[in-house]
Amino acid sequence: MLEGLVSQESLSLNSMDMSVLERLKWVQQQQQQVVSQSSNNSPELLHQILQFHGSNNDELLQGSFSQFQMIRSGFGPNYNMGYGPQHEAMDGCISRTSSCQMEPVDTMEGLLKNGTEEDRPISLKNKRKQEVKTREEEKTEKKIKVEADTESSMKGKSNMRNREASSETSKETLKGVSEIPKLDYIHVRARRGQATDRHSLAERARREKISKKMKYLQDIVPGCNKVTGKAGMLDEIINYVQCLQRQVEFLSMKLAVLNPELELAVEDVSVKQAYFTNVVGSSKHSIMVDVPLFPLDQQGSLDLSAINPNQTTSIEAPSASWESQSQSLYNTSSLGFQY
Amino acid sequence: MSSYNMVKQEFIKKWITTLHILDCSVEHPLNVTERKNAIKLSSDIAMAAARSSSTVWSRALISRSGNKTANKPMARRVLKKARNRMKNRCLTLRRNGNFTAKSGVRRRTELLKRLVPGGELIENKDYLIRETLDYIVYLRAQVDVMRTVAAVDSVTGNLTNDNN
């Protein structure tokens, strides 16, 4: 594309300095060589970049920039290559040519040492397009963009590239394969091979919430640890709920049989509560011996820790309270049981 | 575990009161089935009432139980508006017809929706699981309480038989 531009430039602006054009063409050829070999040789590229830097001097840069500005002004209406933003950046770069040459090279070296093959062309791409959304798109269109990058880098004479690369490389080395999040407040790291548009991000958040809930359910529903996957866990949950509901039915039937008067008598239950708290509050073994009516001896299924409603337990005179409570129990139960 | 105990406490209190009310409102020679139904009903209402009305299942349970008994002043008192809302939504759902799903997760979620009271009204899977979780906790509490009461009752039954 730039070749066409250059040829047009040569046609229209005859008074141009041929040395600059020649240099541009040379640079372009260099870049294309770099691109073609980029997939194989990283150190070679590094050398070429260094060579490139070496060949750069302020004069060349200034000259090329001024020429490009002329070109741009000359090709105003026809200029639709999308180099607009680059130009602004370029213009901003001119003043910083000398100062920022060495550091970016270091960062580039650092990048090349740390990163893989892919990181380098990715950084080259990123510096050019800061508004690129997804890594996958970049990967698929890598080659096209690299070529476009070479053209733009030709114009920018590697300074702009390196300036942007210096900002990007730190990100690259830090993040590796993760994406720069696009949204403002939901910072989700997209993994490689996953899209990051708004809908899929929201969906992923939703799925993560569901999986969190599943883990919580695992703690509550016994025996859920071995089963993985949504369907199995749902099976377990359904099983458990059905089990509990059946138990309720059975127990209510049992209570109906045991209480012919439909009187779970109020004092009865409260007495039972007091019963259990006293049991737990005081030492169990001695009292168990003293009070033969104690249900725990007979019913193994009772769990003491279950009901502890009254925290204030009278530990001082347990035996006396036991007897009184057992008396009241007898009274109420005798009233209840009339056969 | 103390929060679980508090849940059970709440449940016991509510259950006693509802059972008492039910006992007053129904005439007395009841056979076993009727007694069982009354006990189950009262315990369901108590369970739902112990959980404040912020969950879908509690409101649905109360509305469902309210349909079973004609005069149930407590149920009416507890959640009047929610009951009516739930009733309307249940009716509209049933009118829409049944969509049966065949593949795994879909089928199971529908089954779960049928099990959990008011589950059919929940479209979001996330909320369904949250409701199920809550429902399981309270169901567990109900079962534990009933089991203890039944055990104590059976023991006292044995004792009175021995004495007689």
Side-chain angles (χ1 to χ4, degrees):
Chain A
M1 288 190 286
L2 197 57
E3 290 157 341
L5 186 69
V6 170
S7 59
Q8 277 177 330
E9 165 197 2
S10 60
L11 283 172
S12 60
L13 302 167
N14 295 323
S15 59
M16 275 191 67
D17 189 5
M18 291 310 292
S19 63
V20 175
L21 281 177
E22 282 174 56
R23 273 187 231 136
L24 287 173
K25 282 181 188 168
W26 173 79
V27 164
Q28 187 188 8
Q29 284 165 9
Q30 282 278 317
Q31 282 301 310
Q32 279 182 344
Q33 282 176 13
V34 164
V35 167
S36 59
Q37 297 167 6
S38 65
S39 56
N40 298 325
N41 308 316
S42 59
E44 204 168 321
L45 174 68
L46 178 58
H47 291 309
Q48 284 177 350
I49 289 170
L50 288 173
Q51 248 183 345
F52 200 42
H53 285 301
S55 64
N56 275 343
N57 40 11
D58 291 343
E59 179 195 293
L60 172 62
L61 283 166
Q62 300 268 353
S64 60
F65 281 141
S66 55
Q67 292 302 326
F68 275 111
Q69 275 181 336
M70 283 177 65
I71 293 163
R72 184 172 58 164
S73 56
F75 285 88
N78 304 331
Y79 206 68
N80 55 353
M81 306 300 283
Y83 294 138
Q86 307 300 324
H87 280 285
E88 279 92 50
M90 263 168 48
D91 294 337
C93 261
I94 289 171
S95 54
R96 299 178 220 157
T97 50
S98 53
S99 56
C100 63
Q101 267 187 9
M102 289 322 291
E103 322 163 357
V105 174
D106 292 338
T107 57
M108 285 295 286
E109 278 182 76
L111 173 68
L112 287 169
K113 275 174 197 166
N114 296 338
T116 59
E117 278 291 334
E118 297 160 306
D119 285 350
R120 188 195 358 95
I122 287 169
S123 66
L124 289 173
K125 274 178 295 178
N126 276 345
K127 64 162 171 68
R128 191 202 171 214
K129 285 190 173 191
Q130 277 173 347
E131 50 282 4
V132 166
K133 292 172 188 178
T134 60
R135 179 61 58 85
E136 293 73 46
E137 291 171 3
E138 290 177 8
K139 274 198 288 183
T140 51
E141 303 164 23
K142 202 194 270 191
K143 290 178 185 152
I144 304 167
K145 286 180 190 171
V146 170
E147 286 164 7
D149 275 341
T150 61
E151 290 150 8
S152 67
S153 62
M154 258 194 60
K155 303 170 72 177
K157 289 290 188 239
S158 82
N159 273 328
M160 173 189 64
R161 165 185 65 188
N162 288 329
R163 187 176 64 83
E164 289 174 65
S166 62
S167 64
E168 295 285 335
T169 47
S170 53
K171 284 184 198 169
E172 293 295 324
T173 49
L174 283 175
K175 291 180 184 177
V177 297
S178 63
E179 283 279 325
I180 299 166
K182 187 174 76 93
L183 303 173
D184 293 64
Y185 19 83
I186 301 175
H187 293 289
V188 180
R189 294 262 185 259
R191 270 171 263 143
R192 201 164 219 154
Q194 290 182 355
T196 53
D197 52 312
R198 207 167 283 259
H199 295 293
S200 45
L201 271 174
E203 272 223 27
R204 196 171 334 116
R206 201 184 117 258
R207 260 181 273 138
E208 277 168 12
K209 247 194 268 179
I210 289 179
S211 65
K212 220 197 302 175
K213 295 279 168 48
M214 287 291 198
K215 280 179 196 158
Y216 192 34
L217 272 170
Q218 263 183 349
D219 295 334
I220 288 201
V221 176
C224 236
N225 308 326
K226 296 151 193 172
V227 192
T228 48
K230 264 193 207 171
M233 288 204 46
L234 280 174
D235 254 349
E236 288 292 319
I237 290 164
I238 287 169
N239 237 345
Y240 193 54
V241 169
Q242 277 174 340
C243 219
L244 287 174
Q245 283 175 344
R246 267 185 247 134
Q247 272 185 347
V248 167
E249 293 260 352
F250 168 73
L251 284 169
S252 61
M253 181 58 122
K254 187 172 177 185
L255 280 175
V257 166
L258 288 175
N259 286 337
E261 285 268 323
L262 201 70
E263 282 267 340
L264 259 204
V266 181
E267 308 109 27
D268 210 350
V269 181
S270 58
V271 158
K272 286 164 201 159
Q273 288 178 13
Y275 226 75
F276 292 122
T277 52
N278 278 339
V279 167
V280 178
S282 50
S283 59
K284 301 172 191 175
H285 299 285
S286 56
I287 293 176
M288 278 163 122
V289 169
D290 289 340
V291 183
L293 330 158
F294 199 68
L296 284 179
D297 289 335
Q298 298 159 18
Q299 295 285 330
S301 60
L302 289 175
D303 41 351
L304 272 183
S305 56
I307 299 180
N308 263 339
N310 305 326
Q311 294 303 320
T312 59
T313 61
S314 56
I315 307 175
E316 288 128 14
S319 52
S321 58
W322 281 103
E323 282 175 37
S324 59
Q325 279 164 16
S326 57
Q327 281 293 319
S328 54
L329 244 189
Y330 277 138
N331 295 336
T332 50
S333 55
S334 58
L335 286 173
F337 290 90
Q338 294 168 6
Y339 291 99
Chain B
M1 288 303 286
S2 62
S3 60
Y4 188 53
N5 291 336
M6 281 170 64
V7 163
K8 284 199 252 195
Q9 267 186 70
E10 276 288 313
F11 174 66
I12 289 176
K13 283 187 222 164
K14 296 258 161 71
W15 192 19
I16 292 168
T17 33
T18 47
L19 202 53
H20 208 66
I21 291 170
L22 196 59
D23 195 29
C24 301
S25 63
V26 182
E27 61 288 340
H28 256 274
L30 298 167
N31 56 358
V32 183
T33 336
E34 286 174 356
R35 278 204 308 258
K36 171 215 156 199
N37 289 338
I39 287 173
K40 180 149 187 284
L41 186 70
S42 63
S43 77
D44 281 345
I45 290 176
M47 179 171 78
R51 183 82 175 88
S52 62
S53 61
S54 55
T55 54
V56 178
W57 67 262
S58 58
R59 284 174 290 177
L61 194 55
I62 283 185
S63 75
R64 204 192 283 179
S65 329
N67 292 337
K68 288 181 186 168
T69 56
N71 33 339
K72 197 63 185 73
M74 183 164 190
R76 280 206 212 105
R77 249 186 280 134
V78 171
L79 292 165
K80 211 170 194 180
K81 289 183 203 166
R83 234 179 88 223
N84 294 332
R85 235 189 291 141
M86 281 291 160
K87 238 192 277 184
N88 296 334
R89 286 185 78 181
C90 282
L91 286 173
T92 52
L93 266 183
R94 267 171 215 141
R95 272 193 219 117
N96 288 338
N98 301 324
F99 303 102
T100 52
K102 287 177 188 172
S103 73
V105 177
R106 193 87 200 275
R107 183 165 50 90
R108 287 176 176 97
T109 43
E110 284 188 7
L111 202 59
L112 188 62
K113 279 182 183 177
R114 273 184 231 132
L115 279 179
V116 174
E120 288 158 353
L121 308 166
I122 303 171
E123 287 94 21
N124 193 355
K125 245 197 285 182
D126 191 26
Y127 285 142
L128 179 66
I129 290 179
R130 205 188 296 173
E131 289 284 321
T132 319
L133 201 67
D134 208 59
Y135 181 57
I136 284 177
V137 171
Y138 275 80
L139 207 54
R140 183 79 199 275
Q142 184 185 29
V143 165
D144 279 344
V145 166
M146 285 178 85
R147 201 192 297 163
T148 345
V149 170
V152 175
D153 265 352
S154 66
V155 166
T156 54
N158 290 341
L159 291 170
T160 48
N161 285 338
D162 289 343
N163 282 347
N164 293 342

